[in-house]
Amino acid sequence: MQQPSISPYDGLSPEDRKKWIIIYPAYVNSKKTIQEGRRIAKSKAADNPTCSEMRDVCTSQSLQVDVEMDRHYPREMMKDSSHTGRIRVQLFKVDGSPFNDKFSTRKELMLFIGEMVPKLKSRQSKSAAGDGGGQSAGGGGSSSKKKKGKKK
């Protein structure tokens, strides 16, 4: 019972896809430490990127991307669905030349993903909704001050 692949790059042989680079969301997650798998500077990383967001950034640069949602990063302690998945990106052609001249190394691609994920439209709408949630959290802080007063 093999699940049919929904990848747009089914015409490529599996051997060709194995040569593509793999990027896990943990590599560009500013919430992770170096020991937890972050591979770029925290200031250049994104907050909790998802595979679909990373795919959108890569496809906007006309890179070939394949998302593998059934995989998870080995260092990841949480095995829930929000932390699963990875992307495979064709960074080089068969002859070894870069597929896109902007990205000659995987680190350049990771830095670009970390820079562009926060600028996605889906992230912009989440941040606007998050600002309203910050005000309600402030109300919760005043109740904790009351508790401190009771302890005296």
Side-chain angles (χ1 to χ4, degrees):
M1 294 216 41
Q2 187 177 3
Q3 200 173 24
S5 177
I6 56 172
S7 174
Y9 306 107
D10 284 333
L12 298 171
S13 68
E15 292 80 30
D16 291 339
R17 247 186 259 139
K18 286 181 182 177
K19 294 178 184 175
W20 294 8
I21 64 164
I22 294 173
I23 299 179
Y24 288 96
Y27 291 177
V28 294
N29 190 348
S30 64
K31 303 284 186 185
K32 300 282 183 192
T33 63
I34 296 288
Q35 290 80 16
E36 292 173 331
R38 182 173 41 84
R39 296 201 177 179
I40 60 174
K42 189 177 272 193
S43 61
K44 296 181 180 184
D47 290 346
N48 297 320
T50 63
C51 287
S52 60
E53 291 171 337
M54 294 184 345
R55 180 201 59 216
D56 293 343
V57 169
C58 291
T59 54
S60 73
Q61 297 300 307
S62 66
L63 292 170
Q64 291 187 350
V65 182
D66 192 17
V67 178
E68 298 174 342
M69 291 305 294
D70 58 337
R71 304 292 185 178
H72 70 276
Y73 188 53
R75 292 188 199 174
E76 187 65 54
M77 297 298 173
M78 301 287 221
K79 304 290 190 223
D80 61 349
S81 62
S82 64
H83 293 88
T84 59
R86 68 182 183 187
I87 62 170
R88 283 188 183 261
V89 182
Q90 184 180 13
L91 202 56
F92 301 103
K93 297 178 185 173
V94 178
D95 63 356
S97 62
F99 194 77
N100 188 333
D101 292 333
K102 279 182 162 181
F103 314 112
S104 58
T105 64
R106 71 176 62 215
K107 185 154 187 166
E108 288 176 358
L109 179 60
M110 286 190 282
L111 289 169
F112 183 77
I113 290 171
E115 177 187 338
M116 296 306 293
V117 164
K119 296 178 183 177
L120 290 173
K121 287 183 181 180
S122 60
R123 284 284 177 123
Q124 298 300 327
S125 62
K126 285 181 186 177
S127 65
D131 291 341
Q135 293 173 351
S136 65
S142 62
S143 65
S144 64
K145 288 181 183 178
K146 291 180 185 177
K147 290 180 183 177
K148 288 181 181 177
K150 290 180 181 179
K151 288 182 181 179
K152 288 183 181 179

